[in-house]
Amino acid sequence: MARGAEPAGERRRCGSVVAYFTSAKFLLYLGHALSTWGDRMWHFAVSVFLVELYGNSLLLTAVYGLVVAGSVLLLGAIIGDWVDKNSRLKVAQTSLIVQNASVILCGIILMIVFLFKTQLLTLYHGWLLTMCYILVITIANIANLASTATAITIQRDWIVVVAGEDRSKLADMNATIRRIDQLTNILAPMAVGQIMTFGSPMIGCGFISGWNLMSMCVEYLLLWKVYQKTPTLALKSAKVEESELKQLNVKKESDTKPAEGVQLIVEKDVTGFEPQQEKEVSCAARIAEPFITFRDGWVAYYNQPVFLAGMGLAFLYMTVLGFDCITTGYAYTQGLSGSVLSLLMGASAVTGIMGTVAFTWLRRKCGLVRTGLISGVAQFACLVLCAISVFMPGSPLDLTVSPFADISARLFESEPLPTIASPEDKPKMFFATEMPTFLNGSTTPANSDPEMSPEPVPLISVSLLFAGVIAARVGLWSFDLTVTQLLQENVVESERGIINGVQNSMNYLLDLLHFIMVILAPNPEAFGLLVLISVSFVAMGHIMYFRYAQKSLGKQLFVCCTPDPKAVSDSSPPGNTSTV
């Protein structure tokens, strides 16, 4: 009996393993991992390529970042509306092909520019090379917009349908997606960076183009498999309650016309039936349609029950307390080496993954809404360390230094700012201040002993700063997952695209404002002020979420030890309009 039971148990275990690796959930993870890996490689490499092409200047990179942010800000609602109006498979496949084809084309153009840059400079007085730069930035922006459409349809719609009515499964899938994001954020740039270091930028372009070509084919197949294994993906709700269709109309009294419009769209996607329309649409109406969609999208976003939660998440983007080029540049000015920064980035990835684990545990124990509250408190408590670091020894905070001093010097001085030719110099990314040059032409005073090393800058301030940033990522990613699932569960199926498109626009808007803030105060002496402003915006974001939670749970807000059955129960399907 025991000997016969062992093979049967082994077969069952093997069968369950095979079933998992062929399930729609795993195939979705695999496709997302391939897509994210390619995205992270491209986003890292394109900035390096633009700096390399433009003579080690950040101008093209800054223009590219501004174009990307502005495009998503303006077109986020329109992209989301396109996602809503078309079948899921068509949206996913179209955005996948456009995104990867754009990256491949950009890689080919960059390879040509790297090979023939000298010849292009002499043709038409350099205008041909300028046109190549414009073409690269334009196509790269199209790739980013297609990537935005892919993220909306897969991470905000497909994942909800694959999870079905199981909210715990939805939470686990959201957390797994974020873990994949965290790992690829670190590993993908490292991989392509090694290729570019030991090869050349041109080899890097060729590798990324080849990767996207192969990845596109595999992802296309994986999408088709997921679509086949989940029949509900082929259906969009043909019958939606009238109360759920009033999101795109400002007046609550006139819900019938928007309902009829959505009904026709759904029937066209599901059954293939397209009603005959005898009336010709005027040219003016076609021109006005994108602007109307833009307006209606923002109005619908404002009328959502989770509006304050979404705004709270967007406010977290108005911060310099992250591992981007700004904080990295500040760390260099404070004496941290590249190896130390790489270790800190690895630690931030670990704490980010811990945040995804904390999200799933807290949601089971306390419910979804309270998880956001706990995560917000944890994040803000850690960021208090960053605020304290501003006033600790080693902080360069000096409010007497004008934030426009460096800009004025570069604009109005006839001679360039003094630079240091020492190989020990650290690059000043986004911070143009230099070490002072004394009358003797060196970086040490004339009466000092040249053999004596300069007094090191105390690391207490920068240590507290990064300790707070790293620790806060546990609460940050848990809060991000909370708001993501609230949007998934509380936005009706027919509006998931446009609402999440507007949410992306809000995120980009606040992110753009934080870059403008740095441009206005670029010197390290003002970084402490930027830290305090960032902590203030994070606090405002969590206050907005607290207000949402107060409206949602009322008197049960602080009852965390006994989970709210409505918040934890998986009985009601995602996509309803009731609060969690």
Side-chain angles (χ1 to χ4, degrees), residues 233-282:
L233 285 172
L235 302 175
K236 282 192 175 181
S237 298
K239 293 182 181 180
V240 186
E241 295 180 4
E242 186 177 354
S243 61
E244 294 180 343
L245 294 174
K246 63 184 179 181
Q247 305 290 342
L248 292 178
N249 200 333
V250 183
K251 298 181 180 180
K252 296 182 179 180
E253 301 296 332
S254 56
D255 292 331
T256 55
K257 290 184 178 179
E260 292 170 1
V262 176
Q263 183 70 22
L264 292 177
I265 293 164
V266 172
E267 289 178 352
K268 177 181 177 181
D269 285 338
V270 176
T271 65
F273 170 74
E274 184 176 0
Q276 296 181 355
Q277 297 181 354
E278 300 294 339
K279 298 181 180 179
E280 295 183 358
V281 181
S282 64

Side-chain angles (χ1 to χ4, degrees), residues 246-250 298-307:
K246 63 184 179 181
Q247 305 290 342
L248 292 178
N249 200 333
V250 183
W298 284 87
V299 171
Y301 178 75
Y302 175 77
N303 290 329
Q304 291 296 315
V306 290
F307 165 71

Side-chain angles (χ1 to χ4, degrees), residues 128 161 175 193 205 240 251 357 397:
L128 186 58
V161 179
C205 291
V240 186
K251 298 181 180 180
V357 176
L397 178 66

Side-chain angles (χ1 to χ4, degrees), residues 325-406:
C325 51
I326 295 171
T327 310
T328 303
Y330 173 76
Y332 272 115
T333 66
Q334 297 305 294
L336 295 186
S337 64
S339 59
V340 172
L341 279 174
S342 63
L343 293 175
L344 293 177
M345 291 181 68
S348 72
V350 172
T351 54
I353 294 173
M354 290 171 59
T356 64
V357 176
F359 164 74
T360 54
W361 184 83
L362 284 172
R363 184 197 163 277
R364 285 195 300 268
K365 296 294 182 181
C366 303
L368 186 60
V369 176
R370 295 188 189 90
T371 298
L373 284 174
I374 297 170
S375 304
V377 171
Q379 183 192 8
F380 184 75
C382 294
L383 292 183
V384 170
L385 292 176
C386 300
I388 295 173
S389 72
V390 174
F391 307 100
M392 297 301 290
S395 172
L397 178 66
D398 186 359
L399 298 181
T400 61
V401 177
S402 171
F404 304 100
D406 182 69

Side-chain angles (χ1 to χ4, degrees), residues 95-291:
S95 56
L96 172 68
I97 292 173
V98 171
Q99 176 190 359
N100 287 275
S102 299
V103 173
I104 293 170
L105 183 58
C106 264
I108 294 173
I109 296 174
L110 286 170
M111 290 175 67
I112 294 173
V113 173
F114 277 121
L115 280 173
F116 304 104
K117 184 179 179 181
T118 305
Q119 292 87 333
L120 291 173
L121 276 171
T122 59
L123 292 175
Y124 302 103
H125 304 286
W127 281 105
L128 186 58
L129 182 62
T130 303
M131 289 302 299
C132 290
Y133 293 154
I134 295 173
L135 191 61
V136 166
I137 291 175
T138 302
I139 299 175
N141 184 47
I142 293 173
N144 185 75
L145 293 175
S147 177
T148 301
T150 302
I152 292 174
T153 188
I154 300 297
Q155 299 180 37
R156 300 295 187 267
D157 187 28
W158 281 49
I159 191 173
V160 179
V161 179
V162 172
E165 299 184 0
D166 191 342
R167 291 186 176 180
S168 293
K169 182 179 179 181
L170 178 62
D172 291 336
M173 291 183 70
N174 283 329
T176 304
I177 291 292
R178 284 296 181 273
R179 290 167 196 150
I180 293 172
D181 291 341
Q182 290 291 317
L183 291 173
T184 53
N185 269 336
I186 299 297
L187 298 178
M190 289 175 58
V192 73
Q194 295 300 314
I195 293 172
M196 294 167 60
T197 300
F198 294 102
S200 65
M202 190 179 69
I203 294 176
C205 291
F207 176 79
I208 292 175
S209 297
W211 173 274
N212 278 270
L213 180 60
M214 292 185 294
S215 177
M216 178 176 63
C217 299
V218 177
E219 289 177 56
Y220 194 94
L221 177 62
L222 291 173
L223 285 175
W224 176 248
K225 287 290 185 182
V226 172
Y227 192 78
Q228 284 184 323
K229 289 178 178 292
T230 313
T232 49
L233 285 172
L235 302 175
K236 282 192 175 181
S237 298
K239 293 182 181 180
V240 186
E241 295 180 4
E242 186 177 354
S243 61
E244 294 180 343
L245 294 174
K246 63 184 179 181
Q247 305 290 342
L248 292 178
N249 200 333
V250 183
K251 298 181 180 180
K252 296 182 179 180
E253 301 296 332
S254 56
D255 292 331
T256 55
K257 290 184 178 179
E260 292 170 1
V262 176
Q263 183 70 22
L264 292 177
I265 293 164
V266 172
E267 289 178 352
K268 177 181 177 181
D269 285 338
V270 176
T271 65
F273 170 74
E274 184 176 0
Q276 296 181 355
Q277 297 181 354
E278 300 294 339
K279 298 181 180 179
E280 295 183 358
V281 181
S282 64
C283 182
R286 289 184 180 276
I287 295 175
E289 184 178 0
F291 298 97

